[in-house]
Amino acid sequence: MSRFAIAVHGGAGTILKSSMTSVLESQYLKGLEDALKSGYEILKKGGSSIDAVEAATISLENFPMFNSGKGSVFNHEGKHEMDASIMEGQFLDAGAISGVSGIKNPIALARLVMEKTEHVYLSGEGAINFAKKIGVKIEEEDYFFNEFRYQQWLDIKDSGAVKLDHSDKKFGTVGAVALDINGNLAAATSTGGMTNKQFGRVGDSSIIGAGTYANNKTCAISCTGHGELFIRSVVAYDISCLMEYKGLSLKEACDIVVHDKLVKIGGEGGLIAIDALGKIELPFNSEGMYRGFIDTQGILKCEIYK
Ligand code: ASP
């Protein structure tokens, strides 16, 4: 048995087998698998969990079928505004960005905020200026153009509706959590947010404690779901707190937050979680969640439905 493991997600929501083709399904699963392998390769060579979650998330951001990076949804102005955050569990260092456009890999920018500034969180123009100054890869608007996402936006742009990815109840967003050989935990989350969202809207994905959290004493978490409810429930930190202060196991803490607390306020979605022993939990209260892991036994598994 190894002492490292990794899990990833590509969003939760109403993902039904009846509305999926086998070709699409295998493409989604391949997207998850490639991301897992890119992170696992790093862990296997003794690399850090922060490098592993960044690499896995970049792989998901570059994969156009998930709502982050290249596959990001359109906001009300027909533009892309992306949010991301990353955290490591040894020193509780964290970095986050929100409302950025043109950034190829928002998670890499979040990490640079963590490592190269005095701050934790940069937003909008300030984050973009920092990216330009530090030489982060900027893409033209057409890199992010996706006919499918554009149609989703056209369908609702004049209705005033705000939708999570491509159906009423399908959430996008990607994320990764990992434990490395040195016992360090890390978590990363990246998203395009919600289709037709109001300019300036920020969800849970870039908020440390809500969408992302890591602490070597407890666990690492990356969330996906209805961001407003995840912020109000401080989901990621709540799970860590239940473990730290109440002595609950990762599974017990996840069950309380995902299947009880969130459900009571109508918070649909899920999360991926790993504890200091490499135990993985992938709970969700929606119909499905794109998810996968490689555990401490080296077993790889990717799933979509309940
Ligand atoms: N949580 C993300 C947000 O609210 C959406 C998602 O997970 O798909 O921006």
Side-chain angles (χ1 to χ4, degrees):
M1 196 172 91
S2 52
R3 280 181 292 122
F4 52 90
I6 184 165
V8 298
H9 72 80
T14 307
I15 310 163
L16 300 171
K17 207 173 171 73
S18 52
S19 46
M20 180 81 83
T21 65
S22 57
V23 174
L24 268 181
E25 189 173 323
S26 52
Q27 287 171 342
Y28 277 118
L29 292 172
K30 167 114 177 39
L32 292 170
E33 210 175 299
D34 288 349
L36 281 170
K37 285 180 179 162
S38 65
Y40 195 75
E41 277 310 302
I42 292 171
L43 297 172
K44 211 165 79 183
K45 291 185 193 133
S48 69
S49 53
I50 196 87
D51 283 346
V53 296
E54 183 186 17
T57 305
I58 285 176
S59 169
L60 294 162
E61 286 177 339
N62 293 344
F63 181 77
M65 290 164 74
F66 295 125
N67 172 21
S68 70
K70 186 166 174 53
S72 293
V73 296
F74 287 85
N75 72 2
H76 188 64
E77 272 73 37
K79 300 262 187 296
H80 304 282
E81 280 181 287
M82 299 172 281
D83 308 332
S85 65
I86 192 162
M87 183 164 186
E88 63 79 43
Q90 186 180 11
F91 304 108
L92 307 183
D93 277 337
I97 50 110
S98 67
V100 300
S101 39
I103 306 295
K104 183 176 183 200
N105 294 115
I107 201 65
L109 183 58
R111 181 163 180 188
L112 288 166
V113 171
M114 171 172 101
E115 289 177 349
K116 307 276 183 218
T117 77
E118 295 293 298
H119 310 297
V120 168
Y121 200 142
L122 292 180
S123 69
E125 228 179 290
I128 295 169
N129 287 346
F130 168 66
K132 286 181 181 155
K133 208 168 79 192
I134 205 154
V136 157
K137 178 106 177 115
I138 311 277
E139 290 286 354
E140 294 300 321
E141 194 82 341
D142 62 355
Y143 170 79
F144 300 92
F145 185 84
N146 176 310
E147 187 56 42
F148 173 71
R149 298 278 188 229
Y150 189 62
Q151 282 306 326
Q152 286 182 324
W153 174 64
L154 284 185
D155 287 348
I156 63 164
K157 90 179 175 51
D158 297 320
S159 70
V162 179
K163 288 193 178 173
L164 286 134
D165 207 355
H166 60 252
S167 80
D168 280 346
K169 288 180 176 170
K170 156 72 175 70
F171 309 100
T173 296
V174 304
V177 294
L179 169 72
D180 66 31
I181 202 155
N182 295 312
N184 291 321
L185 291 167
T189 312
S190 179
T191 190
M194 295 161 75
T195 299
N196 211 30
K197 66 184 177 182
Q198 189 173 327
F199 175 62
R201 179 263 183 189
V202 178
D204 62 313
S205 308
S206 62
I207 298 182
I208 298 300
T212 305
Y213 193 70
N215 184 338
N216 280 3
K217 282 197 222 159
T218 54
C219 59
I221 310 272
S222 169
C223 299
T224 171
H226 196 148
E228 280 71 9
L229 285 305
F230 277 62
I231 293 172
R232 287 164 50 197
S233 305
V234 203
V235 168
Y237 185 58
D238 201 18
I239 291 174
S240 174
C241 283
L242 286 167
M243 296 176 71
E244 186 172 0
Y245 303 126
K246 270 195 134 184
L248 299 195
S249 69
L250 183 67
K251 181 168 181 349
E252 288 165 340
C254 285
D255 280 349
I256 289 178
V257 175
V258 176
H259 297 299
D260 185 30
K261 291 179 101 168
L262 269 172
V263 172
K264 281 184 181 140
I265 62 163
E268 192 180 352
L271 55 88
I272 53 173
I274 187 167
D275 70 12
L277 297 173
K279 178 139 189 13
I280 290 167
E281 295 293 335
L282 314 168
F284 54 97
N285 60 33
S286 49
E287 291 290 336
M289 179 167 83
Y290 297 104
R291 62 200 188 276
F293 62 78
I294 304 180
D295 65 14
T296 52
Q297 320 271 350
I299 293 168
L300 182 152
K301 193 164 179 189
C302 293
E303 284 180 305
I304 301 176
Y305 318 102
K306 254 185 188 149

